């Protein structure tokens, strides 16, 4: 069952059908002469201030699932590494085939980044590549962008769930958190993308109340909503959780060694409740933001587990034990009408020396890694940008999630692409929002372009708030949020919605305009 946690995150990045039952391959050279054991991900770096890449949306010829093709390889979504002030230059081609009952459109959302919502940057409402078309994004990372873990994924309304479940997403790392917490710089970094992928071709989610139907605009019609029948720990039907594409991975870590895990939940609907048997987690960032970016919150928090909702991220330090252990996800209770989130083991944490033998020399192997997780004496100037004193809230709003057999709603309205903004806010202000869930399942509130801080959850004050871009709202629960519209770069029209993507696809989304 769900264990209450101070952090509830959301993440989305998924891949296609997985056939490997286990994996012990060597992916990269490790420290001290020992080969590394870890399913590494391709990366794109910066040259002359710009990270340049092309992705093509295609159907995987083996699984039939929608996938990215990168550098001629289907099913690869590279990690993009940038620094504050850099630019992401991304070309997206739509290589999907024509389909008489589905639009097969695609675009990209740069999730969590405080960037412009206007073309050619992070515009997700009108910017859309239909079959055969090409989009070109240029996303300027502000000098004030908080260093941390972000991600990218499609946001074509009505098709987000299918495309993300197919694996069309990847991580974005904004460099710099190691300067904030210097001990991280000496640790091995692990980019971990958790997904919930379709098994086999033409997957249909039994929990998804809208399915492709002939002759329907957008390709979907409502049908009765499935429930978990009071069994949130039941097995998922047709879906396989993975870590970096593997259903059961191995992560090499020596006894006493500390590693920096940067975890993205890139699933379309699954929550992961992560822990490591016998080892606490030292949490340092949530949704791309250092914990102490919120005034008065400590920079490090030791926890025994962390809940990451769809779209969320968590960054934490792990210490190797003197015995093998596992990274696991506990069963998560999503409510009587929620999706299945059964318990599982995602990876074995093993001493690579038991596989490859001891290194030629072990002198000084973990000397630097044992340093305390202390803040740098002087923080980079841009990292104080979000901790200024808060002005008086300019507005107070209530956002209510509801659903029925015909769809999902915000304040009793389903999303309309051509409809007006539901909210108009002013740049330079903050607002107080209360998110109310009047349903029998969890919803995960997410807003584009900005971060927010939870002040109260289900009536209880949050002692140490953190900046987030996604948060769980429990069945018949509520969260009270401080919404940060102070950065002028966000002027424009963008979206807020439930990040359980079949809910968003079926109407639980609305527009906001910041002027």
């Amino acid at each position: 069952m769900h264990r209450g946690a101070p952090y509830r995150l959301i993440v989305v990045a998924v891949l296609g059908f997985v056939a490997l039952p286990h994996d012990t391959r060597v992916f990269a050279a490790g420290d001290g002469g020992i080969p590394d054991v870890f399913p590494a991900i391709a990366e794109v770096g910066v040259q002359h201030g710009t990270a340049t890449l092309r992705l093509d949306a295609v159907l995987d010829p083996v699984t039939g699932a929608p996938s990215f093709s990168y550098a001629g390889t289907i099913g690869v979504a590279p990690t993009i590494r940038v620094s504050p002030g850099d630019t992401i230059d991304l070309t997206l081609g739509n290589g999907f085939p024509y389909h008489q009952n589905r639009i097969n459109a695609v675009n990209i959302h740069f999730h969590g980044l405080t960037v412009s919502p206007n073309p050619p940057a992070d515009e997700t409402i009108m910017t859309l590549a239909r079959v055969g078309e090409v989009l070109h994004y240029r996303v300027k990372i502000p000098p004030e962008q908080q260093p941390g873990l972000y991600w990218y994924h499609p946001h074509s309304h009505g098709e987000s769930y299918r495309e993300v479940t197919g694996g069309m997403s990847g991580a974005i790392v904004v460099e710099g958190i190691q300067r904030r917490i210097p001990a991280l710089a000496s640790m091995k970094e692990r980019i971990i993308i958790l997904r919930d992928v379709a098994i086999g071709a033409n997957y249909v989610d039994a929990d998804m109340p809208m399915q492709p139907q002939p002759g329907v605009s957008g390709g979907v019609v409502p049908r009765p909503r499935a429930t978990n029948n009071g069994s949130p720990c039941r097995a998922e039907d047709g879906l396989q959780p993975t870590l970096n594409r593997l259903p059961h991975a191995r992560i090499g870590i020596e006894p006493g060694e500390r590693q920096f895990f940067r975890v993205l939940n890139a699933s379309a609907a699954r929550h992961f409740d992560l822990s490591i048997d016998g080892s606490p987690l030292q949490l340092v960032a949530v949704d791309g933001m250092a914990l102490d970016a919120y005034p008065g919150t400590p920079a490090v928090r030791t926890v025994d587990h962390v809940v990451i909702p769809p779209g969320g991220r968590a960054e934490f330090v792990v210490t190797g034990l003197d015995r093998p252990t596992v990274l696991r996800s506990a069963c998560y209770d999503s409510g009587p009408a929620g999706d299945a989130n059964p318990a599982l083991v995602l990876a074995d944490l093993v001493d690579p020396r038991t596989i490859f033998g001891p290194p030629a020399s072990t002198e000084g192997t973990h000397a630097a890694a044992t340093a305390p997780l202390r803040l740098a004496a002087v923080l980079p100037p841009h990292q104080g940008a979000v901790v200024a004193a808060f002005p008086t809230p300019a507005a107070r709003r209530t956002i209510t999630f509801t659903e029925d057999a015909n769809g999902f709603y915000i304040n009793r309205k389903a999303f309309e692409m051509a409809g007006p903004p539901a909210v108009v806010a002013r740049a330079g202000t903050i607002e107080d929002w209360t998110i109310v869930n009047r349903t029998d399942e969890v919803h995960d509130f997410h807003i584009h372009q900005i971060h927010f801080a939870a002040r109260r959850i289900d009536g209880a004050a949050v002692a140490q708030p953190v900046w987030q871009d996604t948060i769980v709202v429990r069945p018949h629960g509520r969260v009270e949020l401080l919404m940060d519209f102070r950065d002028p770069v966000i002027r424009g029209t963008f979206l807020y919605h439930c990040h359980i993507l079949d809910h968003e696809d079926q109407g639980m989304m609305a527009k906001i305009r910041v002027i």
Side-chain angles (χ1 to χ4, degrees):
M1 300 293 288
H2 167 64
R3 299 173 296 180
Y7 300 107
R8 300 184 176 113
L9 318 175
I10 293 189
V11 182
V12 182
V14 190
L15 291 167
F17 172 67
V18 175
L20 292 173
H22 199 77
D23 192 275
T24 59
R25 290 175 292 167
V26 179
F27 291 88
D31 297 329
I34 302 177
D36 197 9
V37 179
F38 183 71
I41 302 170
E43 295 197 350
V44 173
V46 168
Q47 291 187 340
H48 308 295
T50 301
T52 303
L53 69 157
R54 175 170 177 136
L55 298 171
D56 288 279
V58 300
L59 293 185
D60 188 305
V62 176
T63 69
S67 302
F68 279 136
S69 175
Y70 169 69
T73 302
I74 294 175
V76 175
T79 296
I80 303 171
R81 284 191 181 268
V82 291
S83 295
D86 288 338
T87 297
I88 298 173
D89 187 303
L90 190 154
T91 300
L92 175 65
N94 187 342
F96 287 145
Y98 172 77
H99 193 292
Q100 63 177 349
N101 299 324
R102 182 181 292 123
I103 298 173
N104 269 356
V106 68
N107 60 7
I108 293 288
H109 170 44
F110 298 86
H111 184 125
L113 293 176
T114 305
V115 296
S116 171
N118 303 304
D122 189 26
E123 203 286 321
T124 57
I125 301 171
M126 303 305 297
T127 302
L128 203 65
R130 296 179 182 268
V131 173
E133 296 179 342
V134 175
L135 298 176
H136 185 204
Y137 292 93
R138 282 190 64 84
V139 180
K140 177 70 173 178
I141 310 298
E144 300 82 13
Q145 181 70 55
Q146 289 285 298
L149 181 62
Y150 303 88
W151 65 299
Y152 62 92
H153 63 86
H155 210 290
S156 173
H157 181 57
E159 301 184 279
S160 296
Y161 179 94
R162 172 177 171 268
E163 292 175 354
V164 168
T165 301
M168 299 178 65
S169 55
I172 300 171
V173 174
V174 177
E175 301 279 26
I177 194 170
Q178 293 87 347
R179 293 192 295 274
R180 190 181 192 94
I181 304 178
L184 298 176
S186 63
M187 299 179 196
K188 189 172 292 181
E189 178 195 72
R190 303 299 198 188
I191 302 296
I192 293 175
I193 301 180
L194 304 178
R195 304 172 167 95
D196 208 18
V197 304
I199 299 175
N202 301 315
Y203 166 71
V204 173
D205 183 358
D207 287 330
M208 187 172 177
M210 299 179 79
Q211 300 296 342
Q213 296 291 334
V216 177
S217 176
V220 295
V221 295
R223 67 175 179 81
R225 173 94 176 136
T227 74
N228 65 30
N229 297 316
S231 302
C233 301
R234 76 193 188 281
E236 291 186 283
D237 183 14
L239 292 169
Q240 171 65 62
T242 65
L243 186 155
N244 293 5
R245 299 179 180 257
L246 299 179
H248 196 145
R250 284 194 175 185
I251 301 173
I253 182 169
E254 295 183 22
E257 179 186 3
R258 294 199 295 181
Q259 294 187 358
F260 186 28
F261 280 32
R262 315 186 79 169
V263 184
L264 160 67
N265 179 359
S267 66
R270 200 187 205 282
H271 296 70
F272 289 95
D273 185 353
L274 299 183
S275 63
I276 293 176
D277 287 3
S279 180
L281 314 176
Q282 291 182 285
L283 189 68
V284 299
V286 168
D287 289 354
M289 302 283 275
L291 301 188
D292 66 327
Y294 191 94
T297 296
V300 182
R301 181 175 296 183
T302 300
V303 298
D304 62 359
H305 71 114
V306 60
V307 175
I308 310 181
R313 288 88 66 211
E315 301 177 64
F316 50 84
V317 173
V318 173
T319 301
L321 302 180
D322 59 2
R323 62 189 185 278
T325 187
V326 298
L327 172 65
R328 68 170 70 246
S329 180
C331 172
Y332 180 84
D333 186 356
S334 59
D339 297 326
N341 289 264
L344 75 154
V345 171
L346 291 160
D348 296 321
L349 275 61
V350 299
D351 183 349
R353 297 174 301 180
T354 64
I355 301 172
F356 303 106
S361 171
T362 59
E363 181 179 356
T365 302
H366 303 306
T370 59
L373 296 180
R374 297 194 180 107
L375 287 177
V378 178
L379 298 179
H382 72 272
Q383 293 185 350
V386 297
V387 301
F390 300 125
T392 300
R396 289 177 169 83
R397 308 181 194 272
T398 298
I399 308 297
T400 302
F401 289 155
T402 57
E403 63 184 74
D404 59 27
N406 296 312
F408 294 77
Y409 314 97
I410 291 179
N411 291 355
R412 300 182 179 182
K413 295 181 179 180
F415 179 73
E416 296 182 11
M417 188 69 71
V423 171
V424 177
R426 289 190 175 275
T429 69
I430 64 168
E431 295 189 357
D432 285 338
W433 287 24
T434 299
I435 316 300
V436 179
N437 180 358
R438 299 200 184 280
T439 78
D440 291 331
E441 64 176 318
V442 298
H443 293 293
D444 297 326
F445 175 77
H446 168 62
I447 187 167
H448 293 199
Q449 320 312 132
I450 74 166
H451 281 68
F452 52 77
R455 297 285 189 85
R456 303 181 73 86
I457 297 177
D458 295 335
V462 177
Q464 296 176 342
V466 296
W467 293 110
Q468 299 171 252
D469 59 47
T470 306
I471 191 168
V472 169
V473 190
R474 298 294 302 166
H476 301 284
R478 65 173 56 208
V479 296
E480 298 174 31
L481 307 177
L482 181 153
M483 309 293 290
D484 188 358
F485 299 107
R486 289 176 293 171
D487 196 322
V489 75
I490 66 169
R491 285 192 176 97
T493 301
F494 48 96
L495 299 167
Y496 58 94
H497 57 87
C498 178
H499 215 289
I500 297 175
L501 293 181
D502 51 324
H503 300 179
E504 178 254 294
D505 278 342
Q506 295 160 81
M508 197 170 272
M509 183 163 70
K511 297 178 187 177
I512 177 173
R513 178 174 297 154
V514 176
I515 58 176

